[in-house]
Amino acid sequence: MAHLAPSQTAIFSPSVARAAASTAKDWSYVDNWLQNKYAGSSFNRGKPPSFERNPETLKALLALAAANEAADEDREQLARFEESALDEVRAAERHQELKRKQAEELVVPGGEAIVNDLLAAIRDGLTKEGKTALDSMAAMAVELGVAHASPEALGAKYVELQGRAFEVDDAFERVNLLQQYLVRESARMDAFIDELQRGGAYQLKPDLARQNLELQRKIKSVATGLPELRQQIIALEKSIGVPGLAVEEVREDEEAYLELLARKKGLDAQVKAFAGLPPDIEAARVGLDALRTELRDATEQRDANFEKLVERESPAKNRRKL
């Protein structure tokens, strides 16, 4: 946890804790990878060089470790392919040597001449295309290390080698992409470092030392005056007598405040009924009289409408009774 800042030692958020744990795991992986790479090296007694630990450095080292592991895997795969090919070549050579020894043991006097005559007769009987095909098969068998070649065996071997070549090309493309990514990241880091070194936003102010000295002088002057201020406060408290608050007094003040708040709400409701009236008293009275007149007119109209309704409905009720 040495790469964490002191302010990050106390973590209260689960998300921050998970991020810190993931960062610590990444740094542990990078440290182990650097230890393995520098182990046994004469540089710095086999220890990795010191560097600044920050998110940008961690990201670059993780990318470098991933590229290195991918390159190691590609090298191991190529080594396995080469070893497998060499084993096949050795097996073919051993098989060919065994066949040769068996042929030497079974050879009869004059048999080699008969075989040569037979092969010459077969070669002479072949067409031009047949000779070309036979020479191609022979050259391919020699290149592939196949002792007893047949078109099917040569085709299968060729397809297998073609698949391996595609795999090698794919691995080369991946390594090339990783190399390009590392080149871009390295250029970006160089530009960022150059910006940090030359940019004015990250440079210290020229008068920072003077400001620091002034702040230190102010702090010292205030610190020297603190005991005197404390004595003055104590003397003032003794002379005035600052009353102490009790729980009961606080409760009573709270009840009085709540009562005043309830009264305020009631008064607000009463005042709201007079909303819209002019601020002048006479104008307000005139407006109030007008509203009362409108109320009386509305009441009279309501009573008149009600009487008309009753008169209109009464004959119908009498007819239903008859």
Side-chain angles (χ1 to χ4, degrees), residues 88-160:
E88 291 178 0
V89 171
R90 295 191 186 99
E93 289 178 353
R94 288 195 298 269
H95 184 73
Q96 186 176 3
E97 183 67 19
L98 180 61
K99 290 291 185 181
R100 188 182 62 80
K101 290 181 180 179
Q102 291 176 357
E104 289 178 355
E105 292 176 357
L106 297 176
V107 70
V108 296
E112 184 176 358
I114 296 173
V115 170
N116 291 332
D117 293 338
L118 181 61
L119 291 176
I122 293 173
R123 188 181 299 109
D124 293 337
L126 291 175
T127 62
K128 183 177 180 181
E129 291 79 6
K131 290 181 181 180
T132 304
L134 183 60
D135 292 339
S136 300
M137 288 182 61
M140 185 180 293
V142 172
E143 290 292 334
L144 297 178
V146 180
H148 299 280
S150 64
E152 293 80 5
L154 291 176
K157 193 71 175 179
Y158 178 77
V159 170
E160 181 182 357

Side-chain angles (χ1 to χ4, degrees), residues 27 52-59:
W27 275 116
E52 182 180 356
R53 293 176 177 263
N54 52 43
E56 295 294 334
T57 305
L58 178 61
K59 183 179 178 181

